[in-house]
Amino acid sequence: MAKITLSIIKADIGSIGGHIKPSQKLLETVENYVKEKGRGFIIDYYVGFTGDDVAILTTHKRGVLNPKIHKLCWDAFLAGTKVAKAQGLYGAGQDLLVSAFSGNVKGMGPQVAETEIEERPAEPFLMFAADKTEPGAFNLPLYLSFADPMHCAGLILAPTIKKGFKWVIMDVAYTKADRVIELVTPEESYDVAALLRDNGRFVVESIWSRETQEQIVSASTTRLHNIAGKYVGKDDPVMLVRAQKDFPATGEILSPYTIGHFVSGFMRGSHTGPLMPVKKNSPISYFDGPPIVSCLAFSIKNGKLTEPADCFDQPYWDYVRTKISQKAEEIRRQGFSGAAMLSMSELEYTGVMETLKELEKRFKVRRK
Ligand code: F6R
Ligand code: MG
Ligand code: MG
């Protein structure tokens, strides 16, 4: 059977009233573009939003990093940007960092997660999209879903899962090329943890089954401020995760999102906030946040998608959201102090540097 490629490409191309959400007209324009211009070479598609970001999921047979697929999404974002400009939306075209398309959108601003699969008889997969945070936000949940039996019961109960996983982790501080390491769990799980503790530096790029050699996870690793060299918004990642059978179950993959772990992002991409699992097409609000993550589950047959099942639209997650709101409120109570605001190297607004430079001149060393 021919292989099927799943591609998620996501970008912030403008939103209503600040960084709340894209307009209906913008979304329709992006969706219609993909539908019309993708005819004949994409099998199926889904367009939705998470906070101020629009995500395009396509299924096709052209493999990963395919120029035609990437150009389709890039041009759909350009069409959406035109609408954003005409409507006066905020941050129109924000994530389209270069003026001309060249080959694929990696390194051009949008976030990308893709995988080419041999469809299993039943092929459930999850599409994650996060806003007001960074790619490392998926580090902890992935570790817990794939290496910790406290969340992944399959590590104890299912022999094929117990065999463990291969991790490909990227050093995103290295900008000249892709710098990656391969590690296996369970044998090297402490080494994986040693890297994944540093969300700003090391990011999971993919996870593979040691039982079947198949790719299970593909996550985006692009850091916009490494590309642009200046503040252009946070890097709001996307991720594809295949589920069930020889892979962790959907519920095991969702389980860690009950924590609302603290991540970088929030207001001005410069604060710490808890990651809140939200329903599909949720806006951003409190303190340009909180950092949010949506998750849509799909099934697929010969590349044809079902409608999405909204994983965080269930009463349990209302309770989780209330608890995470309390965490958000708690850290916001300390405003700019200490752990609430990011360290100098992670700040995305550099105005404070100029203030410090000015103040530097006024410091005096007291002679004893
Ligand atoms: C964070 C984000 C917002 C903006 C903030 C200020 O990712 O997009 O928090 O940083 O709204 O935006 P400007 O400086 O454009 O007014
Ligand atoms: Mg934005
Ligand atoms: Mg965003």
Side-chain angles (χ1 to χ4, degrees):
M1 211 178 70
K3 289 189 169 175
I4 301 290
T5 309
L6 309 173
S7 301
I8 307 175
I9 301 184
K10 174 163 94 57
D12 177 352
I13 52 169
S15 38
I16 303 175
H19 295 270
I20 305 280
K21 64 173 191 176
S23 70
Q24 202 53 45
K25 194 162 175 199
L26 184 160
L27 283 164
E28 279 164 19
T29 304
V30 171
E31 178 156 354
N32 286 336
Y33 193 96
V34 173
K35 186 174 162 186
E36 301 293 324
K37 307 287 181 186
R39 203 166 276 149
F41 66 98
I42 61 167
I43 303 171
D44 212 346
Y45 69 92
Y46 173 84
V47 175
F49 71 92
T50 303
D52 56 20
D53 305 327
V54 179
I56 306 171
L57 165 68
T58 57
T59 62
H60 54 93
K61 291 186 178 169
R62 293 177 168 258
V64 301
L65 294 174
N66 180 267
K68 206 160 170 189
I69 299 294
H70 281 231
K71 178 130 191 352
L72 173 72
C73 295
W74 179 263
D75 288 345
F77 288 139
L78 283 181
T81 298
K82 222 184 227 175
V83 171
K85 284 185 176 153
Q87 289 190 308
L89 300 189
Y90 197 68
Q94 177 188 286
D95 285 354
L96 308 183
L97 299 182
V98 298
S99 48
F101 178 83
S102 60
N104 67 69
V105 301
K106 259 200 174 161
M108 296 174 70
Q111 296 288 317
V112 186
E114 293 183 291
T115 178
E116 190 177 39
I117 63 169
E118 195 89 57
E119 255 185 31
R120 298 171 291 167
E123 184 61 62
F125 75 91
L126 310 176
M127 165 178 168
F128 285 90
D131 190 28
K132 303 298 151 198
T133 185
E134 63 178 6
F138 289 128
N139 282 359
L140 180 65
L142 286 173
Y143 183 82
L144 297 175
S145 296
F146 286 82
D148 185 348
M150 295 294 281
H151 288 266
C152 183
L155 289 168
I156 299 172
L157 302 176
T160 55
I161 295 176
K162 191 181 171 188
K163 280 204 180 149
F165 303 97
K166 181 181 86 181
W167 300 67
V168 182
I169 297 170
M170 187 180 288
D171 174 1
V172 294
Y174 191 84
T175 50
K176 278 177 261 172
D178 289 351
R179 184 164 186 264
V180 295
I181 185 171
E182 289 186 7
L183 293 167
V184 290
T185 54
E187 296 91 319
E188 298 177 304
S189 57
Y190 295 161
D191 298 322
V192 170
L195 295 177
L196 297 191
R197 59 164 285 283
D198 191 348
N199 291 338
R201 170 93 194 262
F202 300 108
V203 174
V204 177
E205 181 191 63
S206 59
I207 302 177
W208 304 70
S209 164
R210 290 172 79 185
E211 167 71 14
T212 70
Q213 322 305 319
E214 288 169 288
Q215 183 173 0
I216 310 172
V217 174
S218 170
S220 63
T221 49
T222 309
R223 296 204 68 193
L224 296 181
H225 80 255
N226 292 349
I227 301 170
K230 60 177 170 45
Y231 175 81
V232 283
K234 267 281 173 193
D235 316 301
D236 309 337
V238 287
M239 177 168 73
L240 270 167
V241 186
R242 300 167 72 194
Q244 304 290 151
K245 201 85 178 150
D246 298 328
F247 311 155
T250 299
E252 290 166 339
I253 297 159
L254 299 177
S255 173
Y257 295 91
T258 194
I259 297 169
H261 67 302
F262 287 111
V263 296
S264 298
F266 227 161
M267 176 57 75
R268 298 182 187 273
S270 302
H271 292 80
T272 300
L275 186 66
M276 178 183 282
V278 295
K279 298 178 191 180
K280 75 167 193 266
N281 300 340
S282 285
I284 284 299
S285 178
Y286 171 57
F287 201 58
D288 282 358
I292 58 172
V293 59
S294 64
C295 178
L296 302 182
F298 291 89
S299 280
I300 183 174
K301 198 76 188 171
N302 301 323
K304 273 274 170 205
L305 298 164
T306 58
E307 73 274 23
D310 190 349
C311 296
F312 295 133
D313 185 3
Q314 207 269 349
Y316 174 74
W317 297 103
D318 292 335
Y319 158 75
V320 168
R321 283 188 276 272
T322 304
K323 284 201 311 179
I324 293 175
S325 297
Q326 282 160 1
K327 282 184 81 166
E329 193 182 22
E330 206 47 55
I331 194 152
R332 286 310 316 135
R333 277 159 67 87
Q334 72 175 61
F336 56 80
S337 180
M341 201 183 261
L342 300 183
S343 65
M344 285 294 168
S345 63
E346 289 294 311
L347 283 184
E348 301 219 343
Y349 276 69
T350 49
V352 66
M353 309 293 183
E354 278 128 54
T355 305
L356 291 177
K357 217 190 279 164
E358 281 307 305
L359 294 177
E360 202 49 42
K361 297 176 200 156
R362 293 175 53 188
F363 272 91
K364 292 194 173 80
V365 179
R366 231 180 238 151
R367 308 274 172 221
K368 269 193 255 166

